[in-house]
Amino acid sequence: MISTRLANPADAAALAELFYRIDLHYFGPERANREASARYVALNLFQPHCGVQVMLAERDGQAIGLATFSLLYPAPEYSGQLYMKDLFTLEEARGSGAGKTLLRALAQMAVHHGCQRLDWTAERGNQAAVDFYHHIGARIVEDKIYYRMDGAALRAFAEANL
């Protein structure tokens, strides 16, 4: 049976391992680093500047996946929006219902907090994710454009005198 719960500081080691496995999955062994993942979790999660929460999926007391998310306000009709940043399950947990269980837990949290929407993005090239999201009834939002500023452009804009 798969259960979900909000992560807390005592879950730092499990979160560091899951974040490492995310990097390993998406970027390969040359970019994934367990020590960097542990430092990243310690310096960022559960800190005052961190606006993200983590929902863990567990089976037999072991973390098998996570969803990172934030509750955002305002949203239409004086409600909120739950925005999911990442959904990830370990390879050995894929197809077990862990992803669906995590998304359902987020949907329940959204409803509990009066949110009218649960939003997220997916990489166009990640066909398995696209198929999964279509399968559970999610729709593509055609009227939004996803923007990004990164690297040198981000630093230059941050340092510009306006």
Side-chain angles (χ1 to χ4, degrees):
M1 181 177 154
I2 298 168
S3 61
T4 60
R5 66 177 177 82
L6 287 175
N8 62 61
D11 297 310
L15 292 170
E17 179 63 19
L18 286 168
F19 280 34
Y20 166 76
R21 299 283 293 271
I22 289 170
D23 283 350
L24 195 60
H25 176 77
Y26 286 108
F27 308 116
E30 57 281 344
R31 286 188 50 195
N33 181 298
R34 277 195 168 90
E35 293 78 25
S37 180
R39 277 192 308 276
Y40 180 81
V41 167
L43 292 173
N44 292 293
L45 292 183
F46 311 111
Q47 301 301 321
H49 70 275
C50 181
V52 72
Q53 297 182 67
V54 180
M55 185 70 69
L56 278 176
E58 296 176 316
R59 183 173 46 214
D60 300 324
Q62 297 298 309
I64 60 170
L66 61 77
T68 61
F69 68 96
S70 295
L71 292 167
L72 305 174
Y73 299 92
E77 301 176 22
Y78 300 102
S79 68
Q81 166 193 11
L82 192 147
Y83 181 80
M84 181 177 68
K85 169 63 176 82
D86 284 301
L87 175 68
F88 177 79
T89 61
L90 296 175
E91 186 173 350
E92 56 270 23
R94 294 192 189 125
S96 70
K100 190 179 216 178
T101 301
L102 281 163
L103 270 171
R104 184 165 288 121
L106 294 188
Q108 291 167 348
M109 178 167 279
V111 169
H112 175 77
H113 288 285
C115 296
Q116 295 292 318
R117 301 188 323 205
L118 167 57
D119 291 330
W120 65 91
T121 62
E123 300 290 332
R124 290 186 193 278
N126 188 344
Q127 194 61 49
V130 170
D131 292 345
F132 170 66
Y133 296 141
H134 282 280
H135 175 75
I136 63 166
R139 66 180 176 80
I140 293 174
V141 178
E142 300 287 348
D143 61 336
K144 295 285 183 181
I145 300 171
Y146 184 73
Y147 287 95
R148 175 176 295 146
M149 189 179 293
D150 58 3
L154 174 63
R155 286 187 295 282
F157 184 72
E159 297 168 1
N161 291 326
L162 301 178

